[in-house]
Amino acid sequence: MNLSRRRILGMGAGIGASLGVSALGLAACGDDDDKPAGSNTGGKEYTGPKVSLNLWNGFTGGDGDIFKKLVDQFNGEHQNIAITVATYRWEDYYAKLPGAVSSGNGPDIAVMHMDQLATFAARKVIQPVDDVAKALELTESDFAPTVWKGGMFQDKRYGIPLDMHPVGFYYNKTLLQQAGLDPNKPPTNRSEVEQALAALKGKGIQGFWISPFQFTGGMTGYSLVYQFGGSLYNADATKATFNSPEAVEAVSWCAKLVADGHSPANVGQDADYLALKSNKNAFNVNGIWQVNDLKKSPEIQWGVAAMPQIGSKKSVWANSHNFTIVQQPRGADGNKVDGAKVFINWLSQHSLDWAAGGQVPARKSVLTDPKFKDLTEVNTLAAELPDAAFPPAAPGIGDVTNLFYTAFNEAILGKKPVKQALDDGAAKADKLLEDNRKKYGT
């Protein structure tokens, strides 16, 4: 996964606003009762005439190569279904999809981040897939509860989870050794992290560069808000709570990394990660997608561990890729919908192969497979699955969460005191949440 993709993976930032209200109520697409007729096998089999299906995704990095290989394998095993893959940058993909679907030129299958499902379901861009889940006999017990529930909107399922991609705690073994620390025992809690930082500072090493940007300082702050007992929103996502005392304490801890000299004052986008790779930064909270990138540089002595518990409980930022089926024009071929379900079923069953792309499989059964355990680093971060803190399933929530990242940026750069930055951001978020309820009719 390249740097530009990391900046927008899991994003909701600005997408809803850029699409506007015109994306609602797509006239060319029927409502849930107008879905193309099909055999309703839910993806177990397809015996109809040959169909050609378009699949859109945003896998522009190394995971894209693995994804395409899996599609080729599927095509080779299914003579009556032909999948054609179109890959876009995620920000272009989400902007392009509604218009394409409304004009009847959209894909048949779309890969979508969990925090986008409710938005595109409310816009009637994607259709329910409850029958797929039922046919595959998938239940919450097959997944981490947060991954499974994240695919629901208004009591209907719109996504079949493929994976979970969290952030992890990367560490530079060379720098730990220089500071007299055990390079094979990264810190696991607040006390150990702070002791390690003091030792690193004693050797003139700024040990924990904190980025003011969403990637990846904002994700660090996001994780810590939940670790300190807070949350970004209340239970029904009608009010922002990322200015709570717990959230202020969490973001203050991040800001103190700069104040105490453990991080430069103005870390550029991706500079924290590049500093880890160049033996200047000891600790970096970053996505699981960096595992394969670091493996390309054998000269770097590195490791990755689960996110340290800085607060009162374990928690970590994460997102999830889901398969969705887009709304089809009235009178569309129902065989295409059936073929799409078969593909989703097949790839879900092959998620172990997908894990090689640097993703944690969503299915618990795959997590216990000995072959998955051989993927050492990815398997290490799979332990974070129960602690994943996903955004709520609310339309437009990505735009709202972006206001937290903006507030975090202002706090880390010292543009505003931490509490003021979070108060100002939460006030804007409350207004946007209210606007979203009117826009999406929720």
Side-chain angles (χ1 to χ4, degrees):
M1 183 178 301
N2 57 32
L3 295 179
S4 62
R5 180 169 177 235
R6 285 201 307 276
R7 295 184 187 127
I8 45 77
L9 186 148
M11 65 180 278
I15 294 172
S18 66
L19 294 176
V21 181
S22 62
L24 293 169
L26 299 172
C29 301
D31 58 27
D32 297 340
D33 296 327
D34 293 319
K35 291 188 295 184
S39 64
N40 200 32
T41 62
K44 281 191 172 182
E45 62 180 1
Y46 176 69
T47 58
K50 185 170 183 178
V51 291
S52 297
L53 306 177
N54 292 318
L55 186 157
W56 285 14
N57 72 91
F59 301 131
T60 57
D63 49 2
D65 295 333
I66 292 175
F67 187 76
K68 289 176 182 177
K69 287 179 181 178
L70 287 168
V71 172
D72 288 342
Q73 182 181 342
F74 173 87
N75 285 338
E77 296 177 8
H78 296 78
Q79 299 304 311
N80 57 348
I81 304 175
I83 305 287
T84 300
V85 175
T87 303
Y88 304 93
R89 293 188 306 166
W90 285 112
E91 71 268 37
D92 298 332
Y93 168 90
Y94 286 128
K96 180 181 178 70
L97 184 60
V101 173
S102 67
S103 65
N105 297 311
D108 302 287
I109 310 168
V111 179
M112 194 167 289
H113 290 98
M114 181 197 293
D115 60 353
Q116 296 297 322
L117 293 175
T119 303
F120 285 92
R123 291 183 172 128
K124 297 188 180 297
V125 174
I126 56 178
Q127 61 177 279
V129 289
D130 298 273
D131 57 337
V132 181
K134 183 177 180 180
L136 302 183
E137 298 179 348
L138 298 177
T139 66
E140 183 176 315
S141 63
D142 296 309
F143 303 89
T146 47
V147 175
W148 184 245
K149 292 175 181 176
M152 300 294 292
F153 176 65
Q154 294 184 341
D155 299 322
K156 293 182 180 180
R157 172 157 299 282
Y158 285 88
I160 301 295
L162 175 62
D163 62 40
M164 187 274 282
H165 40 272
V167 291
F169 191 64
Y170 293 85
Y171 53 98
N172 183 300
K173 295 183 177 182
T174 300
L175 295 183
L176 293 184
Q177 203 161 18
Q178 287 180 13
L181 301 168
D182 190 334
N184 296 310
K185 289 186 178 180
T188 61
N189 56 47
R190 179 172 183 169
S191 176
E192 292 177 359
V193 169
E194 292 176 349
Q195 289 175 24
L197 290 177
L200 289 159
K201 187 176 181 180
K203 295 295 183 179
I205 301 168
Q206 291 181 305
F208 197 157
W209 291 29
I210 188 74
S211 165
F213 301 99
Q214 174 183 355
F215 287 87
T216 57
M219 293 174 173
T220 306
Y222 182 116
S223 300
L224 295 192
V225 167
Y226 286 87
Q227 284 199 10
F228 278 78
S231 62
L232 264 62
Y233 307 100
N234 63 356
D236 59 358
T238 57
K239 183 176 176 58
T241 57
F242 57 75
N243 62 334
S244 66
E246 294 83 2
V248 171
E249 184 180 6
V251 176
S252 295
W253 189 88
C254 296
K256 199 169 186 291
L257 293 173
V258 177
D260 290 348
H262 301 305
S263 170
N266 190 352
V267 176
Q269 178 70 68
D270 297 313
D272 49 338
Y273 176 64
L274 296 176
L276 180 94
K277 295 177 69 173
S278 60
N279 296 324
K280 295 179 181 178
N281 178 22
F283 302 132
N284 182 223
V285 175
N286 217 308
I288 192 172
W289 50 86
Q290 299 294 24
V291 167
N292 286 340
D293 180 67
L294 284 164
K295 284 184 174 181
K296 297 176 183 177
S297 304
E299 73 280 4
I300 303 171
Q301 299 301 307
W302 65 280
V304 65
M307 183 80 174
Q309 184 179 330
I310 306 299
S312 59
K313 65 178 184 178
K314 294 181 179 180
S315 190
V316 63
W317 177 96
N319 212 324
S320 169
H321 293 117
N322 280 244
F323 280 119
T324 68
I325 298 177
V326 305
Q327 291 280 11
Q328 300 296 321
R330 290 183 177 89
D333 185 0
N335 289 317
K336 287 196 169 190
V337 176
D338 285 341
K341 292 174 181 177
V342 169
F343 173 77
I344 292 173
N345 178 7
W346 184 91
L347 194 50
S348 178
Q349 293 174 345
H350 287 74
S351 59
L352 176 61
D353 299 318
W354 175 236
Q359 313 285 346
V360 176
R363 286 193 177 189
K364 288 182 179 178
S365 60
V366 179
L367 298 176
T368 59
D369 190 306
K371 293 181 180 179
F372 177 68
K373 294 183 183 298
D374 290 339
L375 299 172
T376 306
E377 294 85 5
V378 175
N379 184 51
T380 294
L381 296 186
E384 295 183 314
L385 187 56
D387 308 317
F390 294 104
I397 202 66
D399 292 328
V400 188
T401 302
N402 189 54
L403 294 172
F404 165 75
Y405 292 126
T406 298
F408 181 88
N409 179 281
E410 293 172 340
I412 297 302
L413 292 177
K415 294 180 178 180
K416 295 179 181 178
V418 172
K419 189 176 188 310
Q420 181 185 343
L422 295 178
D423 281 344
D424 291 349
K428 294 177 182 176
D430 285 344
K431 178 64 168 61
L432 184 53
L433 285 168
E434 181 181 357
D435 291 344
N436 283 344
R437 289 193 293 275
K438 296 175 181 178
K439 178 190 294 185
Y440 300 110
T442 56

